[in-house]
């Protein structure tokens, strides 16, 4: 599944920062190797991931602990799912307002994927269909061209 590759996460952060591959990889690795990492052809070393985390200004765990599920994050996701299932738009909005900072950098790729599915459902519950479609394309299927 494409979404579960570390390269996607690196690319998403690089693009968010507005950096080219050349700018992101400068002093860390060659542009061609960096491209191969983003496209899933090579698994980067822990040293490269540490340097990229610093360059892209994300917690190093966001790149290194991708297979470690956090209990507190799981509880937060369970709470989010419960609130979405309640179909109470006001409670959904309150939760997202209060807890959004807790869910910015979820190290576990599985938990991040679950969060993105829940966010998609949240948009649907709030009748925010265009945002739901874009979120699905960008965060779940990997492409958004709006």
């Amino acid at each position: 599944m494409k979404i579960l590759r570390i390269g996607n996460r690196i690319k998403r952060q690089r693009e968010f920062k507005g950096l080219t591959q050349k700018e992101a990889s400068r002093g860390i690795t060659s542009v061609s190797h960096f491209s191969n990492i983003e496209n899933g052809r090579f698994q980067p070393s822990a040293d490269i991931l540490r340097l990229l985390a610093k360059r892209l200004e994300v917690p190093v765990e966001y790149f290194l602990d991708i297979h470690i599920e956090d209990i507190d994050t799981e509880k937060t996701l369970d709470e989010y799912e419960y609130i979405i299932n309640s179909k109470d738009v006001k409670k959904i909005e309150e939760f997202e307002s209060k807890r959004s900072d807790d869910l910015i950098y979820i190290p576990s790729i599985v938990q991040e994927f679950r969060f993105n599915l829940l966010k998609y459902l949240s948009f649907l519950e709030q009748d925010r269909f265009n945002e739901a479609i874009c979120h699905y394309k960008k965060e779940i299927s990997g492409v958004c061209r709006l």
Side-chain angles (χ1 to χ4, degrees), residues 67-123:
H67 299 295
I68 299 172
E69 294 187 23
D70 179 70
I71 293 170
D72 291 333
T73 300
E74 195 64 27
K75 289 177 183 175
T76 302
L77 293 173
D78 288 344
E79 180 184 357
Y80 192 29
E81 184 174 5
Y82 178 80
I83 290 169
I84 291 168
N85 287 332
S86 77
K87 301 187 184 300
D88 184 331
V89 173
K90 190 169 187 95
K91 285 184 179 179
I92 294 170
E93 291 171 349
E94 287 174 8
F95 177 88
E96 291 174 349
S97 174
K98 289 179 186 175
R99 303 302 295 267
S100 63
D101 287 348
D102 298 339
L103 299 169
I104 293 175
Y105 298 113
I106 301 173
S108 164
I109 288 181
V110 170
Q111 287 177 319
E112 182 183 53
F113 188 71
R114 180 178 177 210
F115 166 73
N116 282 313
L117 289 173
L118 291 170
K119 185 68 177 172
Y120 171 74
L121 292 173
S122 168
F123 284 133

Side-chain angles (χ1 to χ4, degrees), residues 22-97:
K22 183 177 181 179
E23 292 166 332
S25 64
R26 184 176 295 124
I28 298 172
T29 190
S30 70
V31 177
S32 64
H33 186 65
F34 184 82
S35 175
N36 284 326
I37 290 169
E38 278 193 355
N39 289 300
R41 290 185 285 270
F42 291 115
Q43 181 65 32
S45 69
D47 290 338
I48 287 177
L49 289 173
R50 282 186 191 88
L51 293 168
L52 288 174
K54 185 174 180 179
R55 169 86 32 93
L56 298 173
E57 300 174 325
V58 299
V60 70
E61 297 82 11
Y62 188 62
F63 289 157
L64 290 177
D65 295 342
I66 64 172
H67 299 295
I68 299 172
E69 294 187 23
D70 179 70
I71 293 170
D72 291 333
T73 300
E74 195 64 27
K75 289 177 183 175
T76 302
L77 293 173
D78 288 344
E79 180 184 357
Y80 192 29
E81 184 174 5
Y82 178 80
I83 290 169
I84 291 168
N85 287 332
S86 77
K87 301 187 184 300
D88 184 331
V89 173
K90 190 169 187 95
K91 285 184 179 179
I92 294 170
E93 291 171 349
E94 287 174 8
F95 177 88
E96 291 174 349
S97 174

Side-chain angles (χ1 to χ4, degrees), residues 1-9 12 109 112-113 116 136-143:
M1 181 176 227
K2 183 179 179 189
I3 196 76
L4 298 179
R5 290 196 327 239
I6 187 67
N8 290 350
R9 188 173 271 194
R12 189 170 56 240
I109 288 181
E112 182 183 53
F113 188 71
N116 282 313
Y136 176 84
K137 289 179 178 177
K138 183 178 179 194
E139 301 298 338
I140 297 171
S141 74
V143 183

